[in-house]
């Protein structure tokens, strides 16, 4: 499951087997919000993230951590005009993200779902506001995948550390939050494991689930 639940890839088939793309109408309104708010925008097409050139060249002024800056440079494809690029690919977008301050993220978090049609809003890091189709989300997509595999939600286990993992953790029979998870995730998780930098997933398998 990737793109905040907007897509599922099969390792064995080596292809995308499910997708829930944004509508062209929602992309158009999101672009209008980008113009109004003057925030850095990222778009994802077929799992590939694209972002504005200046941001990819030097992410640190946009509240990125040193680790985050290295990750952005390694994963984002720079685009000269992200607004024009998004408009040209409006029928292909997995998701759109705004890079913003914590204050702007909190201000827009509640309002964007009312302003932009057919989207849900989430966040994986504190300086990122992410939008996908209203029927996407890791929780709904997890349920789709479990049904395809013939596995009940009660038999599933999920790990997460951010708000975009909330529904997935809630829907899984066993939801495990990392020690560094957001407060919302810690509240809904069945268990809490170690920090992700301290082998939290391995610790959970050995000491919480006790399968190894």
């Amino acid at each position: 499951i990737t793109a905040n639940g907007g897509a599922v890839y099969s390792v064995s088939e080596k292809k995308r087997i499910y997708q829930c793309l944004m509508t062209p109408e929602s992309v158009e309104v999101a672009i209008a919000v980008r113009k109004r708010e003057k925030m850095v925008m990222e778009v994802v097409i077929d799992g590939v993230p694209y972002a504005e050139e200046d941001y990819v060249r030097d992410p640190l002024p946009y509240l990125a951590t040193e680790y985050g800056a290295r990750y952005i440079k390694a994963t984002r494809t720079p685009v000269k005009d992200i607004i024009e690029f998004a408009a040209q690919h409006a029928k292909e977008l997995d998701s759109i993200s705004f890079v913003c301050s914590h204050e702007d993220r909190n201000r827009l978090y509640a309002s964007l779902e009312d302003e932009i049609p057919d989207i849900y809003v989430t966040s994986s890091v504190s300086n990122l506001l992410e939008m996908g189709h209203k029927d996407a989300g890791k929780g709904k997509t997890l349920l789709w995948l479990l049904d395809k595999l013939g596995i009940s939600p009660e038999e599933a286990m999920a790990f997460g550390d951010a708000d975009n993992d909330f529904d997935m953790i809630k829907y899984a029979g066993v939801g495990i939050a990392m020690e560094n998870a957001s407060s919302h995730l810690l509240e809904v998780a069945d268990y809490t494991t170690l920090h992700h930098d301290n082998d939290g997933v391995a610790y959970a398998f050995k000491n919480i689930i006790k399968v190894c």
Side-chain angles (χ1 to χ4, degrees), residues 88-107:
Q88 290 174 346
H89 297 274
K91 296 181 179 180
E92 307 166 53
L93 299 192
D94 295 337
S95 62
I96 291 177
S97 300
F98 292 147
V99 181
C100 53
S101 68
H102 306 170
E103 293 76 17
D104 283 337
R105 187 193 71 157
N106 294 337
R107 174 175 60 85

Side-chain angles (χ1 to χ4, degrees), residues 144-159:
W144 178 89
L145 181 59
L146 292 176
D147 182 67
K148 179 177 176 62
L149 297 174
I151 300 171
S152 71
E154 292 74 22
E155 296 174 291
M157 178 171 58
F159 292 83

Side-chain angles (χ1 to χ4, degrees), residues 27-42:
V27 173
E28 181 180 356
V29 180
I31 289 173
V33 173
R34 156 63 179 83
K35 291 178 179 178
R36 182 189 76 211
E37 298 288 341
K38 296 180 172 57
M39 294 174 177
V40 168
M41 186 168 73
E42 299 181 344

Side-chain angles (χ1 to χ4, degrees), residues 65-77:
T65 62
E66 292 285 352
Y67 170 82
R70 292 194 299 271
Y71 179 77
I72 290 163
K73 290 180 180 180
T75 58
R76 270 51 178 173
T77 298

Side-chain angles (χ1 to χ4, degrees), residues 141-173:
T141 305
L142 173 65
L143 294 179
W144 178 89
L145 181 59
L146 292 176
D147 182 67
K148 179 177 176 62
L149 297 174
I151 300 171
S152 71
E154 292 74 22
E155 296 174 291
M157 178 171 58
F159 292 83
D161 63 2
D163 288 350
N164 65 331
D165 299 315
F166 184 90
D167 287 345
M168 180 176 66
I169 292 293
K170 184 173 68 174
Y171 292 161

